[in-house]
Amino acid sequence: MHTIALTPVRADGVSVSYGERRVLTDVSLTVAPGARLGLIGENGAGKSTLLRVLSGAETPDAGVFTRPARTGFLWQEVRFEPGETVGALLESGLSEVRAIERELELASTALAHGEVDAAARYEAALEAAERAELWSVDARRDELLNGLGVGDIPLARRLSEVSGGQRSLFALAALLLGRPDALLLDEPTNHLDDEAAAFLERQLREWRGPVVFASHDRTFLDAVATALLDLDPSRSGTTVFGGGYSAYLAEKSAERARWEKQFADEQRELKELKHAVDVTARSIAWSGKVRDNDKFVKSVKGNALDRQISRRIRNAEGRLDELRDGQVRKPPAPLSFPGIPSGFQTLGDGSGVLVLIRGVRIPGRLDLAELSVPPGARILVTGANGAGKSTLLSVLAGRLEPESGAVQRRRGLRVALLEQDVRFADPTSSPRRIYEATVGERRAEAVPLTSLGLIAPRDADRPVGSLSVGQQRRLALALIVARPPHLFLLDEPTNHLSLALATELEEALGAYPGAVVVASHDRWLRSGWTGDAVHLA
């Protein structure tokens, strides 16, 4: 039987602006059938925008795109009617499959009646039915629902009666059930536990058509992507990296090494050229010896040397101007904790623990027999949603008092908590003003906000309320980084942070001299964790 070739997803020169803000600039890509392109970049870099453009839900300001006619799109937020049932949502994902089924029936009837071109029509309908896996719909539905962890929810249940996370899982199941020829997925691993994420990874690795997805899940990117498109503008513009996230990290590390070497080489050459212009060339004097009465020879040779020196100076000056105008900027320093006082983590003699918890209980939220946090500790807190991870961090930070049990803290202990949801009291205040008020003028002058690489200079004086969720969390992190605590608590630290910043933060925490307690569901972070772990059931 003739097999219809699947169509790639393509974009050429796509640009999108919202008012004066340019989100996408001249983005081009080609994703062949069987290829899986992961979109990465800072919050606001345009990942969701690009997916909407490719789906046809949004029109670009410039550029063109093509995609298969049967392209499925998973939105981050599920659109549904309040009275709609789970079963109805799943059936909506099968609308195109049902249309294929009807066409196959009509083509079969036409073939039986010997109509003109009926054989070609039936062959095309049969090919479409096979590609959509028409005859295994019910079995695949059950497999998908069980694999995504929602198989025990009745199909008659209304969508308004299930959680937002469960609605997203049903929407994902409906999309996969329809077997579209191409997939566009916006953060598909949101709300997935480890088993469900691994199930989805297997589904996508076996997908025959092109797949384009945006994700902050580094483990998912590593397992699924055959290439990554970095939408953050870099020295070379928008960049495509071959392979998954591990390959991306290796290439970014190599790129960073090349950047540092180029910067060092240029700075050395600038220094040498400046010396040649300012000192060496001007200090050269003709040293040839001539007789006192041989003034003609002296004049000729002196003039020749003057011309030679002038030429050298002009060449050096020309190269110096060229290099000054075109030199690469200094690579930004990776995230670190500047100005940590030596021995600060010991709090005097360094004996004992920083925090000791015994028999702490908060009904419905936390029940913990004991937890000791010694100086220099590295503790990872894991558990399902609702197990009490955030509650435990609030107790450690002294922001929440337990109903029963004891919490002992070392005298002089300074604690900082990076919360999941950051809120600033005055949304009209700027990051710079908040930073100065929090860390003090002297500290803000010694360690300027923009020097930390967390807030861009262009955003330092904007109202904090106008910044994205990710930018506000960066500011909250900056307030802690500038005055490192003895005990650093982080609640889901990789949420709302770019992949690059999340990786930098993890590396910086590895060298942090104080105690660190992290609550996270991030599979990448957990897989590389080398410290202690506490699991809350």
Side-chain angles (χ1 to χ4, degrees):
M1 176 178 292
H2 174 67
T3 300
I4 299 175
L6 295 175
T7 306
V9 172
R10 285 196 178 97
D12 185 16
V14 167
S15 297
V16 177
S17 295
Y18 299 127
E20 296 182 355
R21 187 168 73 93
R22 176 64 69 89
V23 178
L24 296 173
T25 302
D26 197 25
V27 174
S28 298
L29 57 87
T30 298
V31 187
R36 299 175 296 276
L37 179 68
L39 306 179
I40 59 176
E42 293 276 2
N43 294 316
K47 300 183 295 293
S48 296
T49 300
L50 180 56
L51 288 172
R52 288 195 298 269
V53 167
L54 294 174
S55 74
E58 188 165 328
T59 302
D61 301 324
V64 295
F65 65 93
T66 58
R67 66 186 189 281
R70 296 188 63 245
T71 293
F73 180 30
L74 179 71
W75 298 75
Q76 279 201 55
E77 300 297 329
V78 180
R79 302 175 177 186
F80 69 100
E81 296 296 329
E84 188 177 2
T85 65
V86 168
L89 175 62
L90 293 171
E91 191 61 31
S92 70
L94 292 172
S95 59
E96 292 181 341
V97 174
R98 298 306 183 200
I100 290 171
E101 184 177 27
R102 288 191 296 271
E103 170 58 17
L104 182 61
E105 292 172 353
L106 292 173
S108 178
T109 300
L111 183 64
H113 292 159
E115 295 180 10
V116 177
D117 297 329
R121 178 184 179 185
Y122 180 78
E123 183 179 352
L126 185 60
E127 163 65 28
E130 290 176 344
R131 195 164 68 241
E133 300 183 21
L134 173 63
W135 295 281
S136 61
V137 165
D138 290 340
R140 285 192 297 107
R141 180 196 63 197
D142 295 342
E143 179 191 11
L144 287 167
L145 294 179
N146 290 328
L148 295 174
V150 288
D152 59 342
I153 298 178
L155 299 182
R157 183 78 54 84
R158 290 178 178 169
L159 290 172
S160 58
E161 297 173 343
V162 300
S163 69
Q166 289 170 329
R167 282 196 294 271
S168 295
L169 296 178
F170 283 121
L172 177 57
L175 182 65
L176 298 176
L177 189 58
R179 301 300 294 180
D181 293 333
L183 286 174
L184 306 173
L185 310 172
D186 199 354
E187 297 292 349
T189 61
N190 285 356
H191 316 294
L192 295 183
D193 60 20
D194 289 3
E195 291 184 4
F199 172 80
L200 179 59
E201 289 166 7
R202 292 192 297 271
Q203 292 284 314
L204 296 183
R205 284 198 299 265
E206 296 170 359
W207 206 264
R208 293 185 299 170
V211 178
V212 185
F213 66 97
S215 180
H216 281 85
D217 187 332
R218 291 169 288 178
T219 299
F220 185 75
L221 287 164
D222 211 37
V224 173
T226 56
L228 297 178
L229 174 62
D230 190 351
L231 290 174
D232 285 330
S234 65
R235 293 197 301 154
S236 54
T238 301
T239 311
V240 175
F241 298 86
Y245 190 68
S246 293
Y248 166 80
L249 286 179
E251 177 56 33
K252 291 293 283 187
S253 177
E255 180 189 34
R256 170 82 184 199
R258 292 192 296 270
W259 187 357
E260 290 176 344
K261 183 178 185 304
Q262 182 180 354
F263 178 78
D265 289 345
E266 288 185 354
Q267 295 305 305
R268 183 171 57 254
E269 186 178 0
L270 280 168
K271 184 177 180 180
E272 292 172 352
L273 287 169
K274 192 172 186 303
H275 183 269
V277 170
D278 294 343
V279 181
T280 308
R282 300 188 188 282
S283 67
I284 295 176
W286 182 69
S287 59
K289 296 181 179 179
V290 297
R291 292 188 301 273
D292 290 342
N293 60 353
D294 197 351
K295 296 180 179 180
F296 176 75
V297 173
K298 184 176 181 179
S299 176
V300 170
K301 293 187 176 182
N303 290 337
L305 181 58
D306 287 343
R307 288 193 297 271
Q308 182 182 0
I309 293 172
S310 297
R311 186 166 59 251
R312 289 179 184 174
I313 293 173
R314 287 195 303 272
N315 290 342
E317 288 176 335
R319 173 57 181 159
L320 184 60
D321 291 340
E322 177 187 340
L323 199 54
R324 279 172 172 165
D325 293 340
Q327 64 179 308
V328 300
R329 65 184 178 90
K330 184 178 182 180
L335 181 66
S336 63
F337 297 89
I340 297 178
S342 64
F344 89 108
Q345 77 278 17
T346 61
L347 292 182
D349 61 8
S351 62
V353 298
L354 301 182
V355 182
L356 178 62
I357 288 177
R358 283 200 177 102
V360 163
R361 186 170 183 272
I362 300 176
R365 297 177 64 181
L366 181 65
D367 193 344
L368 187 62
E370 183 171 330
L371 177 64
S372 173
V373 184
R378 292 292 184 275
I379 301 174
L380 174 65
V381 182
T382 63
N385 290 332
K389 300 189 295 295
S390 297
T391 301
L392 174 57
L393 294 190
S394 294
V395 170
L396 289 171
R399 299 186 181 187
L400 184 63
E401 292 298 325
E403 185 175 285
S404 59
V407 181
Q408 299 175 0
R409 295 182 183 83
R410 189 90 184 270
R411 184 183 226 173
L413 178 68
R414 189 167 69 251
V415 183
L417 170 61
L418 180 66
E419 297 178 279
Q420 281 197 62
D421 300 313
V422 176
R423 296 286 184 274
F424 291 100
D426 182 5
T428 65
S429 186
S430 71
R432 197 187 307 275
R433 288 204 302 270
I434 293 172
Y435 183 76
E436 291 175 352
T438 302
V439 306
E441 290 186 10
R442 180 177 297 180
R443 185 66 174 163
E445 184 176 344
V447 186
L449 172 61
T450 54
S451 72
L452 299 174
L454 292 167
I455 296 295
R458 65 177 180 276
D459 297 320
D461 297 304
R462 291 174 55 195
V464 70
S466 69
L467 301 181
S468 69
V469 174
Q471 288 170 318
Q472 292 189 45
R473 204 162 196 230
R474 281 170 166 267
L475 175 57
L477 180 57
L479 301 179
I480 298 173
V481 167
R483 296 185 72 248
H486 305 112
L487 174 57
F488 192 3
L489 310 171
L490 300 98
D491 195 358
E492 299 293 355
T494 59
N495 284 3
H496 308 302
L497 297 183
S498 69
L499 300 183
L501 181 57
T503 301
E504 283 188 18
L505 176 58
E506 290 166 7
E507 292 176 352
L509 289 175
Y512 188 68
V516 175
V517 180
V518 176
S520 180
H521 70 281
D522 187 306
R523 291 184 294 161
W524 186 274
L525 184 152
R526 287 187 284 126
S527 67
W529 189 260
T530 57
D532 297 326
V534 173
H535 183 74
L536 301 180

